[in-house]
Amino acid sequence: MASAPLTLYSYWRSTTSYRVRAALNLKRIAYQIEPVDLLAGEQRDESYAALNPGKGVPTLILADGTVLTQSMAILDFIETTWPDPPLLPHDPVERAKVLAVAHTVAIDVHPVNNLRVARHLQTSIGMDADAAKGWMQHWIHQGFQAFESLVNDATPFSFGDTPNIADLCLVAQTYNAHRWGVDLTPFPNIARIETACLAVPAIAAAHPDQQPDAQ
């Protein structure tokens, strides 16, 4: 990988961290991981909150100390700074289509389908574990229905023969879907794209189970 002294604050099971790890790997950008244990609440520590007031992951620290937060903004920075291999089309219409599919996961599914939401449902609203699981499955299913219909059904990845940002968002969310017991049988396009993504070494290396803080 090319020399690029970046630090990525990441949690192994975080789907948003997974997206960024995969992008950095695909573009062969060197980085070091600083684990943030979300279950232990390290994201709320004063020192970390000073870096990322949103108290989430990922956070990317550049060589000059610049701090970037929010995975989709970080992905945009990575794509702009290191355009090869491209993760977004150059054609503005095709680019908009890819981003729309990526946002189906990043905006429609993930915000109601993450750890802080699951905890709030159980601790503040009083949902039991089965009800919380049903909530997670519902929103994944809704988002996957849209994703399934928006992608190309004749290519290995969502819009072609190479992965893009939509694929990275998806493969991270399918990991979460498996955790919550979502059946991918109704989503053959999604299942195919997941398989294609995990066959790419750079994406496979970003998988949660391959991370230094994996439990």
Side-chain angles (χ1 to χ4, degrees), residues 25-140:
N25 291 348
L26 284 166
K27 291 175 180 290
R28 299 182 63 80
I29 302 166
Y31 64 100
Q32 64 178 12
I33 285 182
E34 287 289 339
V36 180
D37 189 339
L38 300 186
L39 288 181
E42 290 180 357
Q43 71 276 22
R44 295 188 293 275
D45 290 350
E46 184 176 347
S47 59
Y48 184 73
L51 287 176
N52 187 332
K55 302 176 184 178
V57 289
T59 299
L60 185 67
I61 312 297
L62 307 185
D64 64 359
T66 299
V67 179
L68 301 179
T69 63
Q70 292 292 343
S71 67
M72 298 306 286
I74 293 171
L75 289 175
D76 180 72
F77 169 80
I78 291 169
E79 179 69 3
T80 303
T81 307
W82 297 280
D84 186 42
L87 295 177
L88 282 170
H90 295 296
D91 178 83
V93 172
E94 296 305 313
R95 184 185 183 95
K97 289 180 179 179
V98 170
L99 286 173
V101 174
H103 291 167
T104 297
V105 173
I107 295 175
D108 293 345
V109 178
H110 175 261
V112 291
N113 208 234
N114 57 38
L115 176 63
R116 68 177 70 182
V117 169
R119 281 185 165 172
H120 183 71
L121 291 173
Q122 294 178 292
T123 61
S124 299
I125 298 178
M127 275 192 182
D128 62 24
D130 286 341
K133 180 178 180 179
W135 167 284
M136 296 297 184
Q137 290 177 334
H138 171 78
W139 292 113
I140 292 173

